[in-house]
Every structure is written in C-alpha cells, then in structure tokens.
Amino acid sequence: MTAPAVNLDTDLEAIVQNAASAFATTTTPAELENAKAQFLGKSGSVTALMRGMAQLAPEEKKTRGAAINRAKQAIEAALTARRQALKDAELERQLQAEALDVTLPGRQRGAGALHPISLVWERIEHIFASMGFDVANGPEIESDWFSFTALNNPPNHPARSMQDTFYVDMQGEDGQPYCLRPHTSPMQIRYASARARKYAAELARGETPEVRVIAPGRTYRVDNDATHSPMFHQVEGLWLGENVSFKDLKVTYLNFCRAFFETDKLQLRFRPSYFPFTEPSAEIDIQFQEGKNAGKWLEVSGCGQVHPNVVTNMGLDPERYIGFAFGSGIDRLAMLRYGVSDLRQFFEGDVRFLEQFS
Ligand code: PHE
C-alpha cells in the first residue's frame, strides 16, 4: 500500500509510511481498527502532533497544521483502502467456501410406482367390476368358522390340510380359534350372509336378489418355494342367483382371462377336482396359443358350484340359490402376465426388479 504523494515534513512522512505498513499487515477488520488507533486515536501519534501545535507561533501553526492535516488524510485514505481490501478478501473467502457447482445434476425425488401385484389386483377389480361384480374386503386374521367350518370343511376333516395355515394364539369373543386366512373364501360367507339379510326387502320390491362379488386380498399358507410363498394373494369370486350355472362360470372366467391378458388367443380347460365348499369342483387351466408359454396348460384357479351346505351357512335357501365360486392366485396371474418365473421376486423388494413395472 503506497501513501498518496504529498509534500510532508519527514516526521510526518515517516508516520504515514508506518501507518501504511501497519495497516498492510492486518488481516481482520478488528486488527485494522486497532492499528488505526495507534495513529488517529486519542493517544495516537497524529493526535499527539496536533496537541504539540499549541506552543507554535500563529504563522507556523498554519503551515504545520496544514501538513498534519494532509498526513491525516493520507492515513485515512490508506485506512479506507485497507478496509475495502479486507472486505473484498472476506467476500472472496465466502464465495470460495460456499461455492456451488451449478453444472452438477440436481437432486431428484424418484417417481414412485405401484407394485406389480397391486397393478394386477387393480386390473382384476376393474375387469370384474365391468361385469357387474361388487368388490369386498375382509379380515386377514379370520376365525376357524369362516375359514373352514362354514365352508363345509369341519374340524379334523382331512381336506383341511389342503389349506394348512398359521394359527394365531388367540380366541375370539365367538370362542373360535383364529388363523391367518388360507384363502379369501371366508368372504363368500361374510358377504353373502350380509346380503342375505337384505334379501327380504329386495324380494318384496319384486327384485331378483343376487350375490355377485369378488374378494381380493392377502392370504397365508405353510408353503415356500418358487411358485408358493407363505403370504400370497387370491381373488375369490362368487355369483349366486336363482339360475346361475356352470355355463355362466365358464363364460365369466373366459371373458375375464381375455380382458386380463388382452388376447383372444387362449383357451380354458376345466379339470375335475375336489374342494369341500363346491360340488362339483374343478381346476381351471389356461393355455395360450402364442407367446412364451404357448401350448402349455397352466393352472390358474380352483372353482365349482357352491355346495348346498355353504349356501345354507350363508343364510340362504339352497333349493332356491345356486351358483359358482372360484379362487384364483393373483400372484400366479401376475407371473403369467409379466413373464416372471419366480414368485419370490415379487416380495424381495429389489428395486431393479420392481422398477421394470413402473
Ligand atoms: N379356496 C380355494 C383354494 O384356495 C379355491 C376355490 C375357491 C375353489 C372357490 C373353489 C371355489 O384352494
């Protein structure tokens, strides 16, 4: 820092030089203000010189006073310059510390998406709703009565092992043991008996009461391999009326499959089977005429005509109400729709797998 070129006495010249170099060594505003006090403060060297003028003759006072003032101005100029320099340095330091690289990619929040099972679940609801089916929801912790007994599957019957599940260490107010429901079939009884209570009014109005419902949901069984997991998803279908037959089941299920897989190039096969709650019972197999699985028969559902004992347990007259039920694996349908060969991939939560469906 150089002091302005002024014509000064040597003592003043030295003071200005000293001030300039003292200011130059400061690195903070506080240090600078301290240095200033040494020259311009109450006991600073310039102030002392001013005081010394009292003894001078008037003529001398004038020239000396002017010289001291010029020296003071020079010191003030050096001070202002240093103040600015320190400010600039501080700003520069801040800019460095808070530097932003505006060319870096921004932080993004990834778009979420529905799980493939949820997508398929919604798709199933949508298709059945378009065929006039109601959608019902029910408890996953279910009583023995709704899970088995009401479905014509009494305690100790060997058919119970077909749907072996997890038992819960609790007894309901109804005195029943409880389990994790092994199928969504309990909803047949729950939904239909709720409907049955309204039937009298509907009959009185001259309407033909009907039960037409699907019950999708989580289900549980003691199973774990590539095509079975202890928790899985089912959709139960139930259609009861005065004149509902196996023919309606075939048409309903075929139309569902065509809509679900978006192709007419498939056929169904009803293979005789056994379930306690239906008589006769069948497995529904599907065969695609094209694509990865072309020609293979794949099991997608159990089904049958609802057993009269089950109709009775719904509070309906089995002489009057007849119809069908089916229970399909939602996961199985998802595997076929998306070409997934290991069911467990749906439940491992690997984002690389899941993001393919978003
Ligand atoms: N509930 C049966 C099962 O899970 C499937 C089924 C439902 C069969 C309805 C017939 C009628 O195995």
Side-chain angles (χ1 to χ4, degrees):
M1 176 98 13
T2 48
V6 280
N7 183 17
L8 295 170
D9 299 341
T10 23
D11 58 340
L12 289 172
E13 186 106 43
I15 291 175
V16 171
Q17 287 298 334
N18 284 346
S21 54
F23 295 163
T25 59
T26 61
T27 53
T28 66
E31 276 174 32
L32 181 58
E33 296 315 308
N34 283 340
K36 170 195 158 185
Q38 285 172 36
F39 302 95
L40 304 178
K42 263 192 202 145
S43 45
S45 38
V46 176
T47 320
L49 288 178
M50 299 273 245
R51 263 192 224 114
M53 289 215 308
Q55 295 98 34
L56 298 180
E59 203 42 41
E60 242 180 316
K61 241 186 209 166
K62 210 171 159 192
T63 44
R64 182 68 181 163
I68 293 176
N69 264 336
R70 282 199 300 278
K72 209 175 151 186
Q73 279 163 15
I75 292 170
E76 272 164 359
L79 180 68
T80 310
R82 185 63 189 158
R83 273 198 191 123
Q84 191 58 47
L86 287 180
K87 232 189 197 170
D88 290 349
E90 171 61 12
L91 182 63
E92 186 57 29
R93 198 193 56 72
Q94 265 184 20
L95 287 176
Q96 290 289 336
E98 294 164 17
L100 277 183
D101 183 350
V102 293
T103 64
L104 282 175
R107 255 177 243 160
Q108 291 173 358
R109 184 181 285 219
L114 286 181
H115 189 279
I117 298 293
S118 305
L119 291 172
V120 163
W121 179 329
E122 282 188 358
R123 188 174 171 78
I124 293 169
E125 284 187 3
H126 199 78
I127 295 169
F128 277 106
S130 76
M131 294 194 274
F133 281 76
D134 206 356
V135 177
N137 259 313
E140 286 171 35
I141 300 178
E142 184 57 285
S143 71
D144 188 86
W145 165 258
F146 285 115
S147 299
F148 298 107
T149 313
L151 291 163
N152 199 34
N153 199 350
N156 304 318
H157 194 286
R160 284 203 172 198
S161 64
M162 286 165 76
Q163 286 119 1
D164 195 13
T165 182
F166 302 95
Y167 283 82
V168 179
D169 195 7
M170 90 181 205
Q171 241 187 11
E173 284 167 14
D174 48 9
Q176 290 278 318
Y178 272 70
C179 63
L180 300 184
R181 64 178 179 192
H183 47 188
T184 45
S185 307
M187 284 308 294
Q188 285 191 29
I189 311 288
R190 285 185 175 275
Y191 181 90
S193 37
R195 284 290 279 124
R197 289 194 281 275
K198 298 185 196 149
Y199 274 5
E202 286 181 24
L203 282 167
R205 287 199 298 269
E207 293 168 14
T208 311
E210 243 192 15
V211 175
R212 211 191 304 186
V213 66
I214 59 160
R218 261 176 235 117
T219 45
Y220 304 83
R221 273 189 217 176
V222 187
D223 266 337
N224 197 13
D225 60 42
T227 51
H228 299 88
S229 77
M231 188 282 306
F232 60 108
H233 300 82
Q234 270 197 348
V235 55
E236 182 83 6
L238 175 68
W239 187 352
L240 287 180
E242 299 199 15
N243 211 1
V244 181
S245 73
F246 230 90
K247 178 193 73 187
D248 299 299
L249 166 60
K250 283 183 142 179
V251 170
T252 303
Y253 210 84
L254 184 63
N255 284 342
F256 161 70
C257 287
R258 287 178 170 170
F260 182 82
F261 293 108
E262 295 173 274
T263 176
D264 287 350
K265 298 223 160 77
L266 57 82
Q267 53 182 343
L268 299 182
R269 172 171 83 177
F270 287 73
R271 189 161 38 86
S273 185
Y274 170 78
F275 296 101
F277 26 89
T278 45
E279 183 60 42
S281 304
E283 302 287 350
I284 308 178
D285 298 337
I286 188 170
Q287 186 193 55
F288 295 94
Q289 268 115 58
E290 50 185 28
K292 184 175 144 197
N293 292 312
K296 276 191 241 166
W297 285 107
L298 307 155
E299 187 183 315
V300 284
S301 190
C303 69
Q305 185 165 303
V306 182
H307 195 287
N309 289 350
V310 176
V311 177
T312 305
N313 288 334
M314 290 169 181
L316 297 172
D317 176 3
E319 292 299 325
R320 185 158 185 191
Y321 289 98
I322 190 165
F324 63 81
F326 61 83
S328 311
I330 294 182
D331 321 84
R332 199 64 70 82
L333 291 168
M335 286 169 82
L336 289 175
R337 178 161 165 81
Y338 295 124
V340 172
S341 51
D342 190 332
L343 169 73
R344 290 168 293 196
Q345 285 188 291
F346 285 130
F347 310 123
E348 280 165 356
D350 187 332
V351 178
R352 290 166 304 177
F353 172 75
L354 295 175
E355 66 190 0
Q356 299 174 74
F357 303 94
S358 61

